[in-house]
Amino acid sequence: MDTPRGIGTFVVWDYVVFAGMLVISAAIGIYYAFAGGGQQTSKDFLMGGRRMTAVPVALSLTASFMSAVTVLGTPSEVYRFGAIFSIFAFTYFFVVVISAEVFLPVFYKLGITSTYEGGLKAVIWTDVFQVGIMVAGFASVIIQAVVMQGGISTILNDAYDGGRLNFWNFNPNPLQRHTFWTIIIGGTFTWTSIYGVNQSQVQRYISCKSRFQAKLSLYINLVGLWAILTCSVFCGLALYSRYHDCDPWTAKKVSAPDQLMPYLVLDILQDYPGLPGLFVACAYSGTLSTVSSSINALAAVTVEDLIKPYFRSLSERSLSWISQGMSVVYGALCIGMAALASLMGALLQAALSVFGMVGGPLMGLFALGILVPFANSIGALVGLMAGFAISLWVGIGAQIYPPLPERTLPLHLDIQGCNSTYNETNLMTTTEMPFTTSVFQIYNVQRTPLMDNWYSLSYLYFSTVGTLVTLLVGILVSLSTGGRKQNLDPRYILTKEDFLSNFDIFKKKKHVLSYKSHPVEDGGTDNPAFNHIELNSDQSGKSNGTRL
């Protein structure tokens, strides 16, 4: 097994590979902007022409999940806290099933563009390319790490000796950062808020030409999630095998745990010009896929919910230009928000904490509308405000007064094997190092029961708390404000027919609707949201499409 040496630096070929990824990604977007007459309408720009099939959409869903948070954050998480993170494999299964069988049917039959009533084709095909880049980046690191460490068995043995193969922890205490139950329960709520009701994800599978293709894209995406999780967890174990006796973070060779993966890449791939550039392209691809989809989703919500209802005279071409202009504006805002997010500490936990604080109450809002027939607008609004208040309270409190090490359970790291001049006072374990590097943290404060209990709640439960509070308050307020007296439209709730329709694919169609008077390309007519009638306007200029 090779011993660690001085790390390399970027060379010309690394910059060439990285620049090539950016050029190809941009070329894909430009091609779909002008191919076939360009994206003439806002629907083309936001929904990809509504003729997408399952496989590219599934790859796009996977790419948006595999952001820099995954590429950089997950290996660092495994390096510091162990492979218990792999329990998320079960979580992803529950998330996909709930998203496909509860939320997707309702969104689909409503025929909506924005989940709050969706250039998507370019986003999806760019994501497909970037998935290939990300897989290649992960593969190069894994293969070289296995070779340099002397085989997979060596990596696993080092991980076992260092306590990293800690898969099973059934402690039911919700204050423990990661246990089987926090990952299964809290993780399911957190990721369902992303896959079930998040605009950028819903916009993708709603772009499929039929509901069957949309559900299929989610289930195919599940395989991609498992593959990514396996790669990122193994990279974390390889990190530990490489640096188990010379931790770069404790030795201050890197300033943050999220820099460990780039450090490993420059260490083990320095003899292969271009491969470090490939890994950086991998991390940037993850970021680009997430940001591009999110920007497109923000533009969709703005156009559908804030511009179209008040400027009905705008043509589809004008709306398309507005959508693209809003994408530029939101891109600039994302850069500013990224600078703020860098102050929140560890990358993975910071991202999932934000998802939980914001996504939990929103998922509660959608669940209230879809699952509770008597829910009304008053109950929904009050429930949402209550959910936000509670989830932001615990989330911000945890940033200011983070939990103690006995709640987070960091594993041992040392620098005894480093070839340096460190003395005994420099030999630390992670329990002696600050768990969070958030600039919002207050140090040297007297701990109170509120800090040691409420603010020490596992960050994965932020979403759970927000969802349940929104549902509970929404139900109570709806019941007390005449929710049972309102007329019920079955389109807006999940019904038995929605589940039974899963088996329609095995039945013969009794009749086929004819749209001969409106000749269009084949594709999308099975989707009530995506057939061409939605884009027609009557004499008064009102759209015939369905909006919430």
Side-chain angles (χ1 to χ4, degrees):
M1 180 176 68
D2 293 347
T3 57
R5 51 184 172 162
I7 66 170
T9 58
F10 255 39
V11 297
V12 173
W13 283 110
D14 296 314
Y15 289 106
V16 169
V17 171
F18 178 64
M21 182 275 297
L22 294 178
V23 169
I24 294 175
S25 297
I28 294 174
I30 294 172
Y31 171 79
Y32 278 105
F34 296 101
Q39 299 171 114
Q40 301 294 335
T41 68
S42 63
K43 297 295 181 182
D44 286 335
F45 181 75
L46 298 176
M47 301 304 296
R50 299 167 174 171
R51 291 184 294 273
M52 303 304 297
T53 55
V55 174
V57 172
L59 291 175
S60 181
L61 287 167
T62 302
S64 65
F65 160 81
M66 188 174 168
S67 64
V69 173
T70 305
V71 177
L72 303 179
T74 303
S76 172
E77 168 71 28
V78 174
Y79 177 79
R80 297 174 63 202
F81 298 97
I84 191 172
F85 195 84
S86 59
I87 299 298
F88 271 98
F90 299 105
T91 296
Y92 297 152
F93 172 78
F94 295 127
V95 167
V96 167
V97 170
I98 294 171
S99 300
E101 305 303 334
V102 176
F103 293 102
L104 184 149
V106 177
F107 291 144
Y108 214 91
K109 68 183 178 182
L110 283 176
I112 56 179
T113 301
S114 162
T115 56
Y116 298 93
E117 2 188 293
L120 188 63
K121 185 181 291 185
V123 168
I124 287 178
W125 284 110
T126 303
D127 285 348
V128 171
F129 163 70
Q130 289 166 352
V131 163
I133 294 293
M134 289 185 278
V135 170
F138 261 142
S140 64
V141 173
I142 291 173
I143 292 171
Q144 183 64 5
V146 169
V147 171
M148 295 191 73
Q149 295 306 107
I152 294 177
S153 60
T154 302
I155 293 175
L156 294 179
N157 287 335
D158 288 341
Y160 178 79
D161 294 337
R164 262 60 186 177
L165 302 184
N166 54 344
F167 297 106
W168 310 112
N169 178 356
F170 292 98
N171 187 345
N173 188 349
L175 305 184
Q176 294 296 138
R177 181 174 179 270
H178 278 175
T179 68
F180 178 87
W181 302 113
T182 59
I183 293 175
I184 292 294
I185 300 174
T188 297
F189 275 88
T190 299
W191 281 105
T192 302
S193 69
I194 298 171
Y195 268 81
V197 301
N198 182 275
Q199 172 70 25
S200 63
Q201 300 295 77
V202 173
Q203 188 177 349
R204 280 172 160 81
Y205 55 69
I206 289 296
S207 71
C208 290
K209 61 184 180 182
S210 68
R211 188 166 72 170
F212 172 75
Q213 291 284 330
K215 285 192 175 184
L216 187 60
S217 71
L218 277 170
Y219 286 109
I220 294 175
N221 156 74
L222 178 60
V223 178
L225 296 184
W226 284 338
I228 290 172
L229 181 64
T230 301
C231 289
S232 56
V233 168
F234 191 82
C235 280
L237 298 179
L239 259 175
Y240 181 76
S241 178
R242 184 70 173 168
Y243 304 119
H244 65 278
D245 60 352
C246 184
D247 171 39
W249 183 42
T250 310
K252 304 194 183 304
K253 296 179 181 179
V254 297
S255 59
D258 298 318
Q259 298 174 2
L260 288 169
M261 270 301 287
Y263 185 89
L264 175 69
V265 168
L266 292 174
D267 178 14
I268 68 176
L269 295 177
Q270 59 182 289
D271 295 330
Y272 301 91
L275 288 186
L278 179 66
F279 177 80
V280 174
C282 166
Y284 269 82
S285 291
T287 301
L288 285 176
S289 65
T290 302
V291 172
S292 64
S293 61
S294 299
I295 290 173
N296 189 267
L298 287 168
V301 173
T302 303
V303 170
E304 290 295 318
D305 295 343
L306 300 179
I307 295 178
K308 288 180 69 173
Y310 303 103
F311 300 92
R312 297 182 181 274
S313 61
L314 289 174
S315 67
E316 284 294 332
R317 180 178 290 274
S318 298
L319 289 171
S320 179
W321 280 108
I322 292 173
S323 299
Q324 295 172 56
M326 293 305 303
S327 294
V328 174
V329 173
Y330 285 125
L333 289 175
C334 282
I335 295 174
M337 294 299 293
L340 179 62
S342 66
L343 306 177
M344 293 184 63
L347 183 64
L348 182 67
Q349 178 168 333
L352 293 181
S353 296
V354 172
F355 285 152
M357 287 186 285
V358 177
L362 289 176
M363 188 175 76
L365 175 68
F366 285 105
L368 184 71
I370 290 173
L371 301 177
V372 182
F374 53 82
N376 60 19
S377 59
I378 300 176
L381 180 60
V382 175
L384 181 64
M385 294 298 102
F388 271 130
I390 296 297
S391 63
L392 290 174
W393 176 26
V394 64
I396 294 174
Q399 278 286 320
I400 299 174
Y401 307 105
L404 297 174
E406 54 262 32
R407 299 300 186 196
T408 60
L409 301 178
L411 299 175
H412 175 76
L413 294 171
D414 65 55
I415 55 173
Q416 296 180 22
C418 292
N419 183 20
S420 62
T421 58
Y422 288 95
N423 58 37
E424 290 299 321
T425 61
N426 293 112
L427 301 181
M428 302 180 182
T429 64
T430 52
T431 57
E432 296 167 346
M433 299 195 69
F435 164 68
T436 177
T437 57
S438 169
V439 298
F440 306 111
Q441 180 178 353
I442 297 178
Y443 298 93
N444 301 322
V445 65
Q446 181 67 36
R447 302 288 296 190
T448 65
L450 183 68
M451 300 176 193
D452 290 335
N453 293 281
W454 180 236
Y455 292 158
S456 294
L457 184 71
S458 171
Y459 71 96
L460 291 175
Y461 279 131
F462 294 171
S463 179
T464 309
V465 169
T467 301
L468 295 181
V469 168
T470 300
L471 274 172
L472 179 60
V473 174
I475 289 173
L476 294 177
V477 173
S478 294
L479 285 173
S480 61
T481 54
R484 289 186 176 275
K485 299 178 182 179
Q486 63 185 354
N487 295 325
L488 182 63
D489 189 337
R491 294 180 304 158
Y492 298 111
I493 62 172
L494 186 70
T495 63
K496 180 177 66 175
E497 288 72 22
D498 291 322
F499 173 75
L500 294 178
S501 65
N502 289 329
F503 306 100
D504 288 348
I505 189 175
F506 302 108
K507 299 178 182 179
K508 288 186 176 180
K509 293 184 178 180
K510 294 183 179 180
H511 62 279
V512 178
L513 295 178
S514 174
Y515 295 104
K516 291 182 179 179
S517 60
H518 301 279
V520 292
E521 290 185 38
D522 183 29
T525 54
D526 288 340
N527 184 340
F530 303 157
N531 92 44
H532 58 282
I533 292 180
E534 184 185 22
L535 300 183
N536 290 344
S537 298
D538 59 22
Q539 297 293 331
S540 64
K542 294 182 179 179
S543 173
N544 291 330
T546 302
R547 292 184 67 257
L548 177 59

